[in-house]
Amino acid sequence: MAATAANEHTVLQFAAPSSATTTPILTARIHPLVIFNVCDCFVRRPDSAERVIGTLLGSILPDGTVDIRNSYAVPHNESSDQVAVDIDYHHNMLASHLKVNPKEIIVGWYSTGLGVNGGSALIHDFYAREVTNPIHLTVDTGFTNGVGAIKAFVSSNLSLGDRQLAAQFQEVPVDLRMVEAERVGYDVLKATAVDKLPNDMEGMELTMERLLTLINDVYKYVDSVVEGRTPPDTNIGRFIADAVASLPKLPPQVFDNLVNDSLQDQLLLLYLSSITRTQLSLAEKLNTAAQML
Amino acid sequence: MATMARSFLQAISKDEVVAPPLRVVQIEGLAVLKIIKHCKEFAPTLVTGQLLGLDVGSVLEVTNCFPFPVRDDDEEIEADGANYQLEMMRCLREVNVDNNTVGWYQSTVLGSYQTVELIETFMNYQENIKRCVCIIYDPSKADLGVLALKALKLSDSFMELYRAGNFTGEKLREKNFSWMDIFEEIPIKVSNSALVSAFMTELETDAPVSQGDYDRLHSSTTPFLENNMEFLIKCMDDLSMEQQKFQYYYRNLSRQQAQQQAWLQKRRTENMGRRSAGEEALPEEDPSNPIFKPIPEPSRLESFLITNQVSNFCGQINGVAGQNFSRLYLTKALHDN
């Protein structure tokens, strides 16, 4: 991508952010723990600081996705033209984290607040020395525009001929993998206080209620299409047909047998465990109540 | 605030302030996620980590945690481990994280966590911290869609017994102590800061069904149940071994008693003979005789722990079987329709 020598004008060019061996970054995948960490650090920041910065740990997958799995805050001082980052702290925390999980390496850094400013460019430079092509994550804790925006940026250097002009931050699409958070349950993580963790049966009840609502919705939709109230959508129709067809086609006798067998197995297990429990209490009575002398 | 005011009053009125009993463990969502992530990544290896937080009245707040590196070699990493801990706590202090240790967490496989090591670790922690708790997380249950997080504490009566160091039958009968009294389970509350809950509310997908639901509706729990049954059977074997030890001990004891009686009889007749002959009577006890050596009673701690584990497995099987019932009926209803 060199400027053509014949041309008098030099071309504003983007330097290739990395050498040919490393793949360019396409998307960023963030685990919910990182968001929690960032929010927690923001809440605990010293009063003088306006925003918090920290390091992002994770791994870079071969297809260009950056998997951000963990993070930790780094104390820093920021004034209008100067930025000071506690480098020792950063290295210490990195070493500690690597001891636990050597596969999680630095992939970039985060800061709270919307957008990037001059200080960010300097910090980004610092991180660029640690890892090639760091990713910069901004988490808008101030909820400007009424939205908590999470954006990821990669920087590329703008240069005019041989002179470095600026670093341009290009936005990278962010994929929020909330699978773990979903597993824990959004209700648990959303509320400011939850009194009791739901146990097995309650969770089951909740799931079944949700399933029932879903089925009801589909039912209503089909009804309204049949009556002509809503225009039919072939895609949805196809989905519904697939779903109904995925029920196994077993003759009712066979299916009943199957269900009854499984029921009997479960009952057997329950019986076994109750017997074991009785055995335990018996044994305990015999052990401690036996008096020899 | 009220508890703090009351304890201040108590402090000035009495010399000693009795800490209210621990009722609830309040964990932050951040700590929960960290624990889950760490345990899941290293499954099936068992991992541990430290819990940090505050001890306020009857609530133990856990605000953060950090994982421990896996120890391969115990000798050289002793000092390393302590260094790592100090380093982490110092670093976390700098970013204003509470760095009071309030306990530790560990992952477990199918709920088989009641071991002697657990008790020993508890005692170690208890010497330095007034109130500590152990959080157990079971990553294998997450596949069934259940958040298996438990907070455990050793009961006070058990701690006294352990310090006294003996678990003989009489002592236990005195205190009316059974295997259920070793561990106390404390209810867990989850709390989140307002900022985090704002983010979560926004990031929550609009899908009415989540991954947790998919996991719960999955009907193949057979591997989980099989493993549970296997562990249960093994534990029952261990339990029966312990029972046999006791039987052996009792048999030995009664045999020794019989021997003692016989020897005593012999001595008495001898003494009578001697008295009638006018000689000095021999003492009726002879500590050098091996049949008088007291046989140590085997400690009941192991059997208690095993009993605990067995009951745990039973409970798990019960829970999963119950879930399976609902699932089966659900499929039946779907099919009928």
Side-chain angles (χ1 to χ4, degrees):
Chain A
M1 291 194 355
T4 54
N7 216 337
E8 280 261 308
H9 311 283
T10 47
V11 181
L12 198 65
Q13 64 189 8
F14 295 113
S18 48
S19 62
T21 48
T22 58
T23 51
I25 293 183
L26 296 174
T27 52
R29 204 192 290 174
I30 306 183
H31 288 246
L33 178 61
V34 176
I35 313 273
F36 268 81
N37 247 333
V38 172
C39 291
D40 187 63
C41 294
F42 182 73
V43 170
R44 286 177 194 277
R45 72 187 185 290
D47 293 326
S48 57
E50 218 183 77
R51 62 177 193 165
V52 190
I53 67 166
T55 316
L56 292 171
L57 301 171
S59 56
I60 304 187
L61 302 172
D63 65 351
T65 320
V66 177
D67 197 21
I68 305 179
R69 284 204 283 259
N70 206 345
S71 66
Y72 58 83
V74 176
H76 81 296
N77 279 321
E78 204 169 334
S79 56
S80 52
D81 52 349
Q82 269 202 19
V83 174
V85 174
D86 194 344
I87 301 185
D88 279 334
Y89 180 94
H90 163 70
H91 283 305
N92 277 338
M93 280 295 256
L94 181 64
S96 305
H97 273 108
L98 280 177
K99 270 197 213 150
V100 177
N101 202 342
K103 282 190 241 155
E104 282 182 3
I105 53 172
I106 304 185
V107 293
W109 65 291
Y110 70 82
S111 82
T112 58
L114 189 61
V116 285
N117 57 17
S120 308
L122 290 169
I123 306 178
H124 198 84
D125 246 352
F126 161 68
Y127 275 96
R129 275 178 249 143
E130 307 255 339
V131 67
T132 54
N133 209 6
I135 196 164
H136 173 47
L137 189 72
T138 52
V139 178
D140 187 9
T141 45
F143 280 83
T144 47
N145 306 334
V147 164
I150 302 179
K151 294 203 175 76
F153 298 98
V154 186
S155 101
S156 43
N157 288 320
L158 269 176
S159 55
L160 191 63
D162 283 328
R163 266 187 341 170
Q164 290 274 3
L165 265 189
Q168 194 210 40
F169 282 90
Q170 292 165 317
E171 193 171 333
V172 171
V174 161
D175 172 24
L176 288 163
R177 302 232 109 209
M178 288 285 160
V179 176
E180 291 151 15
E182 283 186 5
R183 288 219 166 131
V184 172
Y186 270 119
D187 310 322
V188 170
L189 291 175
K190 210 177 27 167
T192 36
V194 173
D195 277 331
K196 183 169 93 77
L197 288 180
N199 67 0
D200 313 356
M201 292 315 283
E202 287 171 16
M204 198 69 194
E205 205 182 310
L206 214 61
T207 310
M208 292 215 273
E209 273 176 30
R210 284 207 196 119
L211 192 61
L212 193 61
T213 339
L214 269 183
I215 295 184
N216 272 336
D217 280 343
V218 172
Y219 206 64
K220 267 190 243 157
Y221 174 78
V222 168
D223 266 350
S224 64
V225 166
V226 161
E227 290 175 15
R229 270 178 289 161
T230 11
D233 185 356
T234 26
N235 279 335
I236 300 187
R238 222 170 278 144
F239 274 129
I240 298 181
D242 279 340
V244 173
S246 65
L247 283 175
K249 285 260 174 297
L250 296 169
Q253 194 58 33
V254 175
F255 186 76
D256 271 343
N257 278 344
L258 203 65
V259 170
N260 282 336
D261 282 343
S262 317
L263 268 176
Q264 284 185 338
D265 286 340
Q266 306 297 326
L267 279 170
L268 177 70
L269 285 175
L270 241 112
Y271 177 66
L272 265 174
S273 68
S274 320
I275 281 195
T276 328
R277 276 235 160 102
T278 352
Q279 160 73 15
L280 284 180
S281 41
L282 257 180
E284 185 220 336
K285 283 275 176 303
L286 284 175
N287 266 339
T288 51
Q291 201 134 11
M292 282 310 297
L293 294 169
Chain B
M1 286 295 134
T3 33
M4 282 167 72
R6 187 159 34 94
S7 56
F8 174 67
L9 270 173
Q10 281 179 335
I12 55 178
S13 58
K14 292 193 250 170
D15 285 338
E16 222 179 84
V17 177
V18 177
L22 182 59
R23 283 235 173 75
V24 168
V25 173
Q26 190 170 307
I27 308 190
E28 287 221 355
L30 173 68
V32 173
L33 272 185
K34 270 190 164 176
I35 295 176
I36 295 180
K37 172 178 178 289
H38 184 222
C39 295
K40 203 155 69 117
E41 266 178 9
F42 286 91
T45 334
L46 301 180
V47 288
T48 59
Q50 186 100 303
L51 294 171
L52 307 166
L54 290 168
D55 184 3
V56 182
S58 67
V59 176
L60 189 66
E61 289 187 26
V62 177
T63 48
N64 213 328
C65 63
F66 62 83
F68 283 148
V70 177
R71 289 196 186 177
D72 302 317
D73 211 310
D74 262 359
E75 293 127 19
E76 53 176 50
I77 307 205
E78 267 311 321
D80 255 8
N83 272 344
Y84 171 81
Q85 255 188 304
L86 288 172
E87 197 57 42
M88 278 303 263
M89 309 230 332
R90 191 176 60 82
C91 289
L92 287 174
R93 180 84 206 93
E94 286 191 30
V95 273
N96 291 340
V97 175
D98 316 310
N99 66 346
N100 279 332
T101 313
V102 291
W104 83 103
Y105 67 84
Q106 65 181 60
S107 72
T108 171
V109 173
L110 282 186
S112 59
Y113 51 84
Q114 285 104 343
T115 55
V116 187
E117 286 96 19
L118 184 69
I119 299 191
E120 283 176 9
T121 329
F122 246 119
M123 299 309 288
N124 272 337
Y125 268 92
Q126 203 74 13
E127 286 169 18
N128 300 331
I129 320 165
K130 210 158 45 118
R131 274 217 294 233
C132 69
V133 82
C134 172
I135 297 204
I136 309 265
Y137 178 67
D138 191 352
S140 49
K141 279 205 114 182
D143 297 335
L144 295 177
V146 175
L147 177 60
L149 208 63
K150 255 202 275 216
L152 282 184
K153 186 174 94 83
L154 281 184
S155 66
D156 296 327
S157 42
F158 178 73
M159 280 198 288
E160 284 164 26
L161 268 181
Y162 193 74
R163 281 202 195 110
N166 58 352
F167 285 98
T168 55
E170 285 130 56
K171 278 256 154 49
L172 295 169
R173 238 172 292 129
E174 269 171 42
K175 304 228 176 185
N176 213 3
F177 192 79
S178 83
W179 54 265
M180 292 181 280
D181 294 334
I182 299 187
F183 295 107
E184 253 176 58
E185 192 178 323
I186 310 179
I188 298 184
K189 235 166 61 136
V190 177
S191 76
N192 289 308
S193 67
L195 184 62
V196 159
S197 68
F199 260 104
M200 280 294 128
T201 324
E202 201 180 293
L203 294 173
E204 179 181 8
T205 52
D206 282 325
V209 176
S210 70
Q211 183 67 27
D213 294 321
Y214 285 138
D215 288 334
R216 260 176 245 141
L217 285 175
H218 201 224
S219 66
S220 94
T221 52
T222 19
F224 181 74
L225 282 174
E226 276 175 11
N227 279 338
N228 241 331
M229 287 307 282
E230 230 182 273
F231 279 20
L232 186 66
I233 295 177
K234 238 188 337 182
C235 267
M236 288 308 277
D237 281 340
D238 288 338
L239 193 64
S240 67
M241 254 186 358
E242 292 282 322
Q243 305 266 40
Q244 278 179 352
K245 265 197 246 174
F246 277 121
Q247 280 187 332
Y248 192 59
Y249 163 73
Y250 278 132
R251 235 179 320 153
N252 278 345
L253 196 64
S254 55
R255 197 159 32 124
Q256 196 194 43
Q257 301 246 342
Q259 279 178 334
Q260 285 178 355
Q261 289 295 74
W263 187 88
L264 206 58
Q265 264 325 73
K266 213 170 50 150
R267 257 298 155 87
R268 287 218 178 101
T269 43
E270 223 182 285
N271 277 342
M272 277 205 308
R274 282 195 175 211
R275 260 189 230 117
S276 54
E279 290 173 359
E280 215 177 274
L282 290 171
E284 291 203 341
E285 274 181 22
D286 191 358
S288 60
N289 202 330
I291 56 176
F292 277 109
K293 195 165 59 164
I295 310 178
E297 185 171 340
S299 151
R300 298 186 187 270
L301 185 58
E302 272 297 319
S303 60
F304 274 10
L305 288 175
I306 296 182
T307 326
N308 256 327
Q309 289 216 35
V310 172
S311 113
N312 218 6
F313 290 140
C314 289
Q316 278 181 333
I317 293 184
N318 277 349
V320 177
Q323 274 193 326
N324 277 338
F325 276 139
S326 350
R327 272 192 280 254
L328 282 172
Y329 277 118
L330 192 63
T331 31
K332 196 161 162 162
L334 268 178
H335 194 258
D336 286 341
N337 280 341

